[in-house]
Amino acid sequence: MLSEFPHVAWIGKSQGVFRGTMFATKCSRQIGIVPRSASRKKCMLFWRLSIHNFALAILNRSGSIQDMKSLTEHLWFEVPNRRGFVNITDTVEKLVKKSGVQEGLCLVNAMHITASVFINDNESGLHHDYEVWLEKLAPHSPTNQYHHNRTGEDNADAHLKRQVMGREVVVAITNGRLDFGPWEQIFYGEFDGNRKKRALVKIIGE
Amino acid sequence: MLSEFPHVAWIGKSQGVFRGTMFATKCSRQIGIVPRSASRKKCMLFWRLSIHNFALAILNRSGSIQDMKSLTEHLWFEVPNRRGFVNITDTVEKLVKKSGVQEGLCLVNAMHITASVFINDNESGLHHDYEVWLEKLAPHSPTNQYHHNRTGEDNADAHLKRQVMGREVVVAITNGRLDFGPWEQIFYGEFDGNRKKRALVKIIGE
Amino acid sequence: MLSEFPHVAWIGKSQGVFRGTMFATKCSRQIGIVPRSASRKKCMLFWRLSIHNFALAILNRSGSIQDMKSLTEHLWFEVPNRRGFVNITDTVEKLVKKSGVQEGLCLVNAMHITASVFINDNESGLHHDYEVWLEKLAPHSPTNQYHHNRTGEDNADAHLKRQVMGREVVVAITNGRLDFGPWEQIFYGEFDGNRKKRALVKIIGE
C-alpha cells in the first residue's frame, strides 16, 4: 500500500522537514525537495504542508476501505403436508437489499435435516416430477425398511431425499442483487412437514 | 465516510489555519471559525488542535474497521474400512473459535473425490440406512460394470456415491459459533477408505 | 486496537506536548515524559516527533487492513451434444490469480437449471460411468413420463440429473490459489446442450 503514497511513506520515515530533505507535494503526489536555502519558517511550512498531505492520503485510503457487512435471518415454514416446495426467491432478494451488500455471497440453508434448499425451475410440472422421482429413489414406505425409523420416527426417507436435493445454496451477490441466470429460483424443499421448521439466510460481503 | 467527520474533511482540504478560516472543535465535532483577531500564535494553536482532532477521528474510524479474518486447516482421516462416517462437528466448532471470526462463513470440503462432507443426523440407524441406500443407488460390485475401474481402480462407485452425498458444506458463523438448527451435525463420509485422506476447513469473516 | 499503540492513544487524548506531559518515543513504542526543564522549542520538537510517530502507527495499521476484493466472471459454453463435461479448472485458477485474492472463497455455479458445476476426477472412463449412471437414475426417455415435458420441453431429466450432480461448488482460496486435494478438478456438466449457456465465477476475499 505504501507504494501508492510515496509522500506518506516518506513522512512516516522522516522526523521533520529540513533543508535538503524531501517533502510531499499536494497535487502531484510527488516528492519535492526543500531548498537548502529555505528559511526555518519555510521549513515549518513545508512540514505543515506534508502533514496535511499525509492527512489527505490517509483519508482517501480510509474512504476506500469498505467494512465487511453481514446479515442473518431465519425464515419460518409450516408446510401443511409431508412434502412440498416453497419459492423463497423474493424473500431472499429482499434480504439482500436489506443487507446493503453490493458484492458478496448469500448462503441459504435448511436448518433441519429432513428439508432442502435448492435452486431450480418455478414450474409445477417439474415439482411433480421431483416428487415422483424422489419417492422412487428413496420411498417413504414401507417405513420399517429403514433402521432410523426404529427410533420411533417415520422420516428416514426424508433424510435421504434431502441429500439428493441438497442442504444449501450459495448465490453470488453482484451490484446488490442475486446474480442469477434466466430461470434460477430458490426453493425450500420440505420432506417431513406438518410442523414449524426454519431456513437460514446468511449474507456477507461489502 | 467523510461526511461523518466534517472537521476531518475540512483539514484534508485546507492548508493550515488562518484568521477567518474554519477549525475543528474537539468535543462537538463541529467546525469553528478562527477569529480574525487571533494572533499568529493562536492560529498555530488552532492548527495543532485540529491536527489532534484529525488524529482522534481517524483513530475512531480505524477502530471500527474490522479486518477480514481467515483460517485454513486440514483434517486427516484414516477410516479403517472401505466406507464409514466420522462426526467432525466439535472439531470444526473449535476451529471457528480459534479463527476469532464472529460473522462469516465456514466451508468444509473433502479434498478427495471419493469422499464427502455432509450435514445430517448423528444417528447410527440412519447411517446404516445411508450405507444400504447408496449401495443400492451406486453398487460397488460387480466392479467391471464401471469403465473407471479399467484404470486399475475398484472405486468407481465411490466417485458416484460422493456426488449423492456432496463434496462440501458451507455453514454460517453467527456470534462466533456455527449457526446450526437443532440436529445439524457435520460428517466426513468415506467411500474408499483404508488410507489417509483429508478434509479442508476454510473460515472467512470478521 | 488502541492498546496496540499506546502513544497513539495518548496523542489522541492530549492537546499538545507540554512540560511534564507524556510524549511518544519512536522505536520502543513506549511513552516518555517531556522534562519539566524542557524549553518551549524542545516541547515543539517533542510534539512534532509525536505527530510523526502517530503517522507511523496509523500507516502500519492501514497497511495491515486488507480491502475485501471481489471478482465476477461469466463463462460461456456451447456443448455440441445433449450431455457433456467440460474441465474448467485452469480457467477458474486464472480468474483467482486475476482477482488478486490471497485468502477467500471461490463460488462456481451453473447459471442454468439443466446444468451442473461439480468437482471430481478428470478421467474419461469415470465420465462415461457418470453418463450411464445418471441416465439410469433419471432416464431421458420416454419423455412423456415427466409432467415438465408437457410444457413443450423434453429436458425434465436434465433438471433431475443436475440435482444429483449439484448446481455449484465453493472452493477455498489459500495463498492466492485454489486449495485443492490431489485429484480435484472443476467440471461444467451439461445435461441439455446444443445451445449457449453460462456458469458464474464469483471470488471474494482479501
Side-chain angles (χ1 to χ4, degrees):
Chain A
M1 185 203 116
L2 286 188
S3 58
E4 299 169 43
F5 306 116
H7 61 286
V8 176
W10 160 76
I11 213 166
K13 281 176 199 148
S14 168
Q15 283 298 327
V17 171
F18 301 103
R19 295 173 195 96
T21 65
M22 296 178 296
F23 75 101
T25 63
K26 185 181 176 185
C27 304
S28 61
R29 284 196 168 178
Q30 285 168 357
I31 290 172
I33 305 286
V34 180
R36 290 198 170 274
S37 60
S39 66
R40 178 161 177 76
K41 205 170 146 186
K42 195 97 180 224
C43 280
M44 278 303 288
L45 185 67
F46 278 123
W47 185 79
R48 278 163 60 187
L49 207 142
S50 286
I51 283 284
H52 274 296
N53 290 341
F54 158 74
L56 266 178
I58 288 287
L59 275 172
N60 288 341
R61 170 72 184 166
S62 301
S64 76
I65 294 174
Q66 301 275 338
D67 274 11
M68 190 173 133
K69 292 188 182 88
S70 68
L71 180 140
T72 312
E73 296 255 356
H74 292 181
L75 312 181
W76 284 90
F77 303 93
E78 189 167 2
V79 172
N81 298 299
R82 184 174 286 273
R83 291 191 287 276
F85 300 125
V86 183
N87 191 336
I88 57 174
T89 316
D90 289 350
T91 307
V92 176
E93 184 78 74
K94 272 174 203 151
L95 292 177
V96 170
K97 241 174 231 161
K98 183 179 167 187
S99 74
V101 168
Q102 293 298 302
E103 299 294 319
L105 296 177
C106 175
L107 166 72
V108 191
N109 68 268
M111 298 185 78
H112 294 256
I113 51 191
T114 50
S116 283
V117 169
F118 67 94
I119 287 175
N120 219 297
D121 203 355
N122 189 20
E123 199 276 304
S124 61
L126 181 67
H127 296 181
H128 168 88
D129 296 334
Y130 277 132
E131 161 65 18
V132 171
W133 179 62
L134 290 168
E135 190 57 19
K136 202 178 81 182
L137 290 185
H140 176 70
S141 304
T143 54
N144 68 2
Q145 73 187 294
Y146 300 111
H147 284 206
H148 180 58
N149 290 341
R150 295 178 185 175
T151 63
E153 299 279 0
D154 68 350
N155 65 5
D157 67 304
H159 290 272
L160 275 48
K161 286 169 170 125
R162 111 77 165 249
Q163 288 307 124
V164 176
M165 296 305 276
R167 168 188 179 260
E168 80 223 3
V169 295
V170 178
V171 186
I173 300 170
T174 306
N175 297 325
R177 305 207 52 186
L178 293 169
D179 196 339
F180 265 160
W183 300 103
E184 290 190 282
Q185 299 270 300
I186 311 175
F187 291 90
Y188 172 77
E190 181 61 84
F191 305 115
D192 185 31
N194 290 311
R195 54 193 174 107
K196 286 204 166 191
K197 290 163 87 171
R198 280 176 298 164
L200 176 69
V201 181
K202 186 90 189 187
I203 294 165
I204 71 165
E206 63 173 24
Chain B
M1 184 204 117
L2 287 189
S3 58
E4 298 169 43
F5 306 115
H7 61 285
V8 176
W10 160 74
I11 214 167
K13 282 175 198 149
S14 168
Q15 283 299 328
V17 172
F18 302 101
R19 294 175 195 94
T21 65
M22 295 178 298
F23 74 101
T25 63
K26 184 182 177 185
C27 304
S28 62
R29 284 196 168 178
Q30 285 169 357
I31 290 172
I33 305 285
V34 181
R36 290 196 172 275
S37 60
S39 66
R40 179 161 174 75
K41 202 170 144 186
K42 195 97 181 223
C43 280
M44 277 302 288
L45 184 67
F46 279 123
W47 185 80
R48 279 164 55 189
L49 207 142
S50 286
I51 283 285
H52 274 294
N53 290 341
F54 158 73
L56 266 178
I58 288 288
L59 275 172
N60 288 341
R61 170 71 184 166
S62 299
S64 77
I65 293 176
Q66 301 276 336
D67 273 10
M68 191 174 134
K69 292 186 182 88
S70 68
L71 180 142
T72 312
E73 296 254 356
H74 292 181
L75 312 181
W76 284 90
F77 303 92
E78 188 166 3
V79 173
N81 296 299
R82 182 174 288 274
R83 292 190 286 276
F85 300 125
V86 183
N87 191 336
I88 57 175
T89 316
D90 289 349
T91 306
V92 176
E93 185 78 74
K94 270 173 204 150
L95 292 177
V96 170
K97 242 175 230 160
K98 183 180 169 187
S99 75
V101 168
Q102 294 298 303
E103 299 295 318
L105 296 177
C106 175
L107 166 72
V108 191
N109 68 267
M111 297 184 79
H112 294 256
I113 51 190
T114 51
S116 281
V117 170
F118 66 94
I119 286 175
N120 219 295
D121 204 352
N122 189 20
E123 199 276 304
S124 60
L126 181 67
H127 295 181
H128 168 88
D129 296 335
Y130 276 133
E131 161 66 17
V132 172
W133 179 62
L134 290 168
E135 189 57 19
K136 202 178 80 180
L137 291 184
H140 176 70
S141 303
T143 54
N144 67 2
Q145 74 188 294
Y146 300 111
H147 284 206
H148 179 59
N149 290 341
R150 296 179 184 175
T151 63
E153 299 278 1
D154 67 350
N155 65 5
D157 66 303
H159 290 273
L160 275 48
K161 286 170 170 122
R162 111 77 164 249
Q163 288 307 123
V164 176
M165 297 304 276
R167 168 188 179 261
E168 79 223 4
V169 295
V170 178
V171 186
I173 299 169
T174 306
N175 296 325
R177 305 208 51 187
L178 293 169
D179 197 340
F180 264 161
W183 301 102
E184 290 190 282
Q185 300 270 301
I186 311 175
F187 291 89
Y188 172 77
E190 180 60 82
F191 305 116
D192 184 31
N194 289 311
R195 54 192 174 108
K196 285 204 167 192
K197 290 163 85 172
R198 280 176 299 163
L200 176 69
V201 181
K202 185 91 189 187
I203 295 166
I204 71 165
E206 64 173 26
Chain C
M1 185 203 116
L2 286 190
S3 58
E4 297 169 44
F5 306 115
H7 62 284
V8 176
W10 160 75
I11 214 166
K13 281 174 198 150
S14 166
Q15 282 299 326
V17 171
F18 300 102
R19 294 174 195 96
T21 65
M22 295 178 297
F23 74 101
T25 63
K26 186 183 175 184
C27 305
S28 61
R29 283 196 169 177
Q30 286 170 355
I31 289 172
I33 305 287
V34 180
R36 290 198 170 274
S37 60
S39 66
R40 181 165 175 71
K41 204 170 146 187
K42 195 96 180 223
C43 281
M44 277 302 287
L45 185 66
F46 278 122
W47 185 79
R48 278 164 58 189
L49 207 143
S50 286
I51 284 283
H52 273 296
N53 290 340
F54 158 74
L56 266 178
I58 289 287
L59 275 173
N60 288 341
R61 170 73 184 164
S62 300
S64 76
I65 294 174
Q66 302 276 336
D67 273 11
M68 191 175 133
K69 293 188 181 86
S70 68
L71 180 140
T72 311
E73 296 255 356
H74 292 181
L75 311 181
W76 285 91
F77 303 92
E78 189 166 1
V79 172
N81 297 300
R82 182 174 288 274
R83 291 191 286 276
F85 301 125
V86 183
N87 191 336
I88 57 175
T89 315
D90 289 350
T91 307
V92 176
E93 185 77 73
K94 272 174 203 150
L95 293 177
V96 170
K97 242 175 230 161
K98 183 178 168 188
S99 74
V101 168
Q102 293 298 303
E103 299 295 318
L105 296 176
C106 175
L107 166 71
V108 191
N109 69 266
M111 298 185 79
H112 294 256
I113 52 189
T114 50
S116 281
V117 170
F118 67 94
I119 286 175
N120 219 296
D121 203 354
N122 189 21
E123 200 277 304
S124 61
L126 181 67
H127 296 181
H128 168 87
D129 296 334
Y130 277 132
E131 162 66 18
V132 171
W133 179 61
L134 290 168
E135 189 59 17
K136 201 178 81 181
L137 290 185
H140 176 70
S141 303
T143 55
N144 68 2
Q145 73 188 295
Y146 300 111
H147 284 207
H148 179 58
N149 290 341
R150 295 178 185 176
T151 62
E153 299 278 2
D154 66 352
N155 63 6
D157 66 304
H159 290 272
L160 275 47
K161 286 169 169 124
R162 110 78 165 248
Q163 287 307 125
V164 176
M165 296 304 277
R167 168 188 179 262
E168 80 223 3
V169 294
V170 178
V171 186
I173 299 170
T174 306
N175 296 326
R177 305 207 53 186
L178 293 170
D179 195 340
F180 264 161
W183 300 103
E184 291 190 281
Q185 298 270 301
I186 311 175
F187 291 90
Y188 172 77
E190 180 61 83
F191 305 115
D192 185 31
N194 290 311
R195 54 193 174 108
K196 286 204 166 190
K197 291 163 85 170
R198 280 177 298 163
L200 176 70
V201 180
K202 186 92 188 186
I203 294 165
I204 72 165
E206 63 173 26

